[in-house]
Amino acid sequence: MARITLDTISEELAQSGWKCVSTEYKNLESELHFNCEEGHDVYASWKKIRTKRECPICKQNAFKKLVDSIKPKPKGEKRVLALD
């Protein structure tokens, strides 16, 4: 079994836009300092972050999912707004 280092953690996080700010790694259960892709500070164990990269601040933002689902109107097409 390969030993986990900060370099391997940083490489794995770089693929998803996260950063490891901590300078010391002890074990899977020890708390580390991370930055999510939005730049928020996240304090959690590597065991938790490697299975589910979830920022508590981004999770509470209800508009983040909404922005991803908005589709631009195709060129030359009209939209009709109907109010009841």
Side-chain angles (χ1 to χ4, degrees), residues 36-54:
C36 75
E37 62 269 1
E38 298 289 326
H40 303 124
D41 292 323
V42 179
Y43 294 92
S45 68
W46 174 236
K47 183 177 183 180
K48 183 177 179 181
I49 294 296
R50 78 176 181 173
T51 57
K52 189 174 186 180
R53 287 186 183 89
E54 184 174 79

Side-chain angles (χ1 to χ4, degrees), residues 9-10 12-14 16-20 25 28-37 40-56:
I9 292 172
S10 295
E12 191 172 331
L13 288 173
S16 60
W18 283 57
K19 284 185 183 178
C20 181
Y25 173 76
L28 284 173
E29 301 292 332
S30 62
E31 189 175 83
L32 297 171
H33 179 197
F34 301 99
N35 282 341
C36 75
E37 62 269 1
H40 303 124
D41 292 323
V42 179
Y43 294 92
S45 68
W46 174 236
K47 183 177 183 180
K48 183 177 179 181
I49 294 296
R50 78 176 181 173
T51 57
K52 189 174 186 180
R53 287 186 183 89
E54 184 174 79
C55 171

